Amino acid sequence: MAKIVRVTLLLIVLLAVAQGAWKAHVRTSDWSETLRVAVYPVNAGASPAADSYIGGLRRPVIEPLAVFLREQARGYNLRLAEPIEVYLAPRVNAVPPAPPRNGSAAEIVWWSLQMRWWAWRHDGFDGPRPHVRVFVLYHAPAAGLTLPHSTGLRAGMIVLANAFAGADNEGGNNVVIAHELLHTFGATDKYDPATNLPLYPEGYAEPNAVPLFPQRRAEIMGGRIPLSRSEAEIPRSLDQTTLGAATAHEINWLK
Ligand SMILES: [Zn+2]
């Protein structure tokens, strides 16, 4: 009897998750309303430096995300003037489950379910219900430290972004968050994972520029500014990025 109850409960939870994901897809792909994006700071390594940085975080730090999407949307004549609005949620005093490295499809699905459960349990935001929840894991900058991969989950509309604590890194952090946010809207990567070089032409901000190199900006899903056929640099802020036509198609801004 207990087993039947357990299985039934699990089925109900799975159905609710599936229905929630489906509704999120519909709501977030027709751009009929401004989507609410809540950013939850997390101290990834329990360092005092990241702790005091998080304590001083204010909404203007993440506002460039909304400005970027507003300006890019205008370029595609999107009817909705403000694609997103951003909210700074209270910090989360727990670290989310780490995504699997090169995980199998089953491992990724399992992690995604755990992540959604974790996000639901640690949601202390009391503002309007967000469409997308962005957990930003702040790391204290240290020489030679490279950040783990960030992830944007279309199913569940959750972003897990790794960022450096510190005012100097805010522009770069917003580039990472915008990239992952666009994954939740359906955009795909436009770089070669083996070399991190943007793919031509879809990963270039100005694929028709003459001369082609150096490019002045990065395509947001291409990730880097191509300087030559074999070199590319990470943009320091969203001012150095654009949202290209291939990405605009994927997120339903271009029909
Ligand atoms: Zn990506």
Side-chain angles (χ1 to χ4, degrees), residues 36-197:
R36 293 183 293 275
V37 175
V39 173
Y40 302 74
V42 181
N43 187 347
S47 74
D51 209 53
S52 68
Y53 175 74
I54 289 172
L57 268 180
R58 296 293 178 266
R59 178 171 151 156
V61 169
I62 51 171
E63 192 60 30
L65 296 163
V67 174
F68 172 71
L69 287 180
R70 179 200 307 146
E71 288 174 352
Q72 299 298 313
R74 201 183 298 147
Y76 291 103
N77 297 318
L78 191 72
R79 210 130 19 107
L80 184 68
E82 301 283 347
I84 66 164
E85 55 192 5
V86 292
Y87 296 85
L88 186 62
R91 77 164 73 193
V92 175
N93 291 312
V95 177
R101 288 169 63 89
N102 309 317
S104 65
E107 283 171 327
I108 291 167
V109 168
W110 175 234
W111 173 75
S112 139
L113 284 174
Q114 284 179 301
M115 188 57 221
R116 285 147 82 172
W117 169 247
W118 182 91
W120 178 77
R121 273 195 6 209
H122 292 98
D123 192 341
F125 180 53
D126 58 5
R129 196 182 143 90
H131 297 94
V132 189
R133 283 174 290 181
V134 176
F135 296 92
V136 182
L137 277 69
Y138 286 101
H139 302 254
L145 174 68
T146 53
L147 294 177
H149 255 296
S150 295
T151 313
L153 281 177
R154 176 102 174 99
M157 308 300 288
I158 293 171
V159 168
L160 204 59
N162 284 285
F164 281 121
D168 293 350
N169 305 301
E170 286 166 357
N173 292 341
N174 281 334
V175 172
V176 172
I177 296 171
H179 176 105
E180 300 304 335
L181 188 58
L182 285 160
H183 274 314
T184 71
F185 299 150
T188 61
D189 283 324
K190 294 171 183 67
Y191 63 86
D192 179 347
T195 61
N196 284 329
L197 290 172

